[in-house]
């Protein structure tokens, strides 16, 4: 993977900046997904014209046919980091020859199963390891890392509180 200055990613950033300058409402994007249960605890999620299957391992009631929801979150975090590294490397003129990202999270299942209400049901900690290589000095990669950590949307979902509104629709209205 080589990241060069003046690539289509910089063109996308410039076009977006022009569109938002002309109409600030153009900055607001809504992403949607929907899901239906499959099997014991699996879910088939549809996002646009894409589908994602999510399941649990047998010790959590699943058939282990797909990544579990926490692994899907970690995958989303890695993917978002990857995209953000590519955009910001080009924006900052930093050449990246190789990029590999790993993430792991600690989950205490007592919160999920309601065994201890003092334990939060979500991840207690997430660790992301970024391995980057190329011709730039370490300081330039540190600059890139800071930019990514400041601008990665999926990281922001975890690092900062995100308001979530949850609605329940029952009966015939649920359709």
């Amino acid at each position: 993977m080589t990241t060069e200055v003046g690539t289509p990613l910089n063109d996308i950033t410039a076009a977006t900046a022009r569109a938002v300058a002309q109409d600030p409402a153009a900055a607001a994007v809504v992403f949607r997904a929907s899901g239906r249960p499959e099997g014991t605890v699996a879910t088939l999620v549809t996002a646009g014209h894409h589908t994602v299957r999510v399941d649990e391992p047998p010790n959590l009631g699943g058939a282990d046919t797909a990544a579990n929801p926490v692994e899907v979150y970690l995958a989303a975090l890695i993917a978002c980091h990857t995209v953000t590294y590519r955009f910001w490397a080009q924006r900052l003129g930093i050449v990246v020859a190789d990029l590999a990202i790993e993430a792991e999270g600690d989950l205490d299942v007592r919160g999920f199963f309601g065994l201890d209400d003092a334990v939060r049901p979500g991840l207690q900690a997430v660790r992301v390891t970024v391995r980057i290589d190329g011709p730039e000095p370490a300081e330039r990669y540190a600059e890139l890392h800071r930019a990514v950590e400041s601008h990665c949307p999926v990281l922001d979902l975890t690092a900062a509180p995100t308001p979530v509104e949850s609605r329940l629709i029952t009966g015939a209205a649920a359709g």
Side-chain angles (χ1 to χ4, degrees):
M1 172 192 138
T2 302
T3 305
E4 308 268 342
V5 177
T7 67
L9 297 182
N10 278 337
D11 295 341
I12 291 168
T13 300
T16 302
R18 286 190 303 275
V20 170
Q22 291 175 357
D23 179 10
V29 180
V30 176
F31 292 97
R32 290 182 176 82
S34 61
R36 294 278 185 178
E38 284 190 333
T40 306
V41 296
T43 306
L44 179 63
V45 177
T46 302
H49 62 275
H50 305 283
T51 58
V52 177
R53 283 191 164 70
V54 182
D55 198 1
E56 292 284 359
N59 64 336
L60 292 176
D64 202 23
T65 62
N68 72 35
V70 173
E71 292 166 330
V72 170
Y73 161 75
L74 294 173
L77 180 61
I78 290 168
C80 194
H81 265 74
T82 300
V83 169
T84 307
Y85 265 95
R86 294 174 117 178
F87 267 93
W88 278 89
Q90 291 175 18
R91 186 167 181 181
L92 297 172
I94 296 174
V95 176
V96 175
D98 191 38
L99 178 67
I101 303 171
E102 300 170 3
E104 63 182 8
D106 302 326
L107 182 76
D108 185 331
V109 296
R110 293 177 298 169
F112 171 72
F113 286 116
L115 303 175
D116 184 345
D117 287 338
V119 175
R120 85 183 262 215
L123 292 168
Q124 283 75 40
V126 175
R127 290 170 298 285
V128 177
T129 302
V130 178
R131 299 182 198 292
I132 194 166
D133 191 27
E136 308 285 346
E139 297 79 27
R140 291 287 282 153
Y141 293 121
E143 176 187 3
L144 175 58
H145 181 73
R146 286 189 301 274
V148 170
E149 296 296 297
S150 297
H151 296 94
C152 178
V154 175
L155 175 60
D156 181 69
L157 288 172
T158 304
T162 300
V164 176
E165 177 186 325
S166 181
R167 259 183 334 154
L168 175 65
I169 300 172
T170 63

